Amino acid sequence: MTDQTTLNRYARAAGVAMLLSVIFGALGEMYIPGLFIVRGDAAATAARILADPTLYRLGFAAYYVEGLCDVALCLLFYVLLKPVDQNLALLSAFFGIVSMVMYAVAESCYYAALVILRDPAGLTAFTADQRSALALLSLRLFSTIAGLFLATYGIASMIRGYLMMRSGYFPRAVGALLVLGGAGFVLRTATILVAPSFSSGFMLLPMAVAGIPLTLWLLVRGVKVASVPQ
């Protein structure tokens, strides 16, 4: 069984991975794409992308760092939580990996918009305006698939939060917040599918609220080593 000192090292590593995931995720998912996407205006979006393709690619690179950190977190949280319930910890890791694969598909659509606009030789049957429309469609697919991935990440987070509440070496309040944040992700996907008019970005707010104290706890406190189940 993993010893207590090793669990504490994994906790610190998870804190670093979470911090990097938040920073690069904010850049790659929100800030940089927001500089280029003009809702409903294909020509303006295309013009912005073509004006600074390097920054556009950096948006994808930022996501790449986030994705690598999130995959690592699947392993780190599995090790940290398997003393509570190994099967549930493994299930959470599986859902986490699936969510990252789905989001990688979404991000591929983000990158595809640049290929559509920068490789006219491969799209000679389309006019410039048509390529711009295809690029905007690709970006819409990016945001749509990203929304659909949230449920799998939410389920992974809910399981992690539940195990944290049971662990005795994570704060119960942080575990409860993570359960609530995961539920918000699941609700976001559900409303996108069955009731789009009721879907709101505010459903994602509880996850942000949970992520901040969890990251700080992992970085500053680690786990309460003496409380780890034997």
Side-chain angles (χ1 to χ4, degrees), residues 25 27-34 37 56 59-60 63 66 102-113 134-149:
L27 288 172
E29 294 181 28
M30 294 179 292
Y31 179 71
I32 294 179
I37 300 173
Y56 190 85
F60 184 83
Y63 154 73
E66 180 207 6
M102 292 179 68
Y103 205 83
V105 173
E107 283 285 344
S108 297
C109 293
Y110 170 85
Y111 195 84
L134 285 173
L136 185 60
L137 174 61
S138 185
L139 289 170
R140 289 184 64 185
L141 289 173
F142 154 63
S143 61
T144 300
I145 297 171
L148 297 177
F149 112 95

Side-chain angles (χ1 to χ4, degrees), residues 90-211:
L90 185 61
L91 182 63
S92 174
F94 276 134
F95 272 109
I97 292 293
V98 169
S99 72
M100 290 305 101
V101 171
M102 292 179 68
Y103 205 83
V105 173
E107 283 285 344
S108 297
C109 293
Y110 170 85
Y111 195 84
L114 180 62
V115 176
I116 291 169
L117 294 172
R118 296 268 292 179
D119 186 24
L123 295 168
T124 53
F126 298 92
T127 66
D129 287 343
Q130 288 172 331
R131 290 197 303 272
S132 296
L134 285 173
L136 185 60
L137 174 61
S138 185
L139 289 170
R140 289 184 64 185
L141 289 173
F142 154 63
S143 61
T144 300
I145 297 171
L148 297 177
F149 112 95
L150 293 173
T152 50
Y153 189 84
I155 293 171
S157 298
M158 291 172 69
I159 297 172
R160 289 171 187 169
Y162 168 72
L163 293 175
M164 288 176 187
M165 292 173 65
R166 286 182 48 194
S167 68
Y169 51 92
F170 279 99
R172 289 180 60 85
V174 171
L177 284 173
L178 197 58
V179 171
L180 183 62
F185 271 40
V186 173
L187 183 61
R188 172 72 161 165
T189 294
T191 53
I192 288 173
L193 287 172
V194 300
S197 60
F198 292 98
S199 189
S200 170
F202 286 108
M203 296 174 182
L204 310 181
L205 186 59
M207 184 64 79
V209 173

Side-chain angles (χ1 to χ4, degrees), residues 39-87:
R39 186 179 298 273
D41 193 331
T45 300
R48 290 187 180 188
I49 294 172
L50 292 172
D52 198 346
T54 299
L55 180 59
Y56 190 85
R57 285 193 293 268
L58 284 175
F60 184 83
Y63 154 73
Y64 217 120
V65 175
E66 180 207 6
L68 292 174
C69 289
D70 284 345
V71 170
L73 282 168
C74 292
L75 170 64
L76 293 170
F77 277 122
Y78 168 71
V79 174
L80 289 169
L81 296 171
K82 72 176 182 179
V84 184
D85 189 317
Q86 184 172 2
N87 290 334

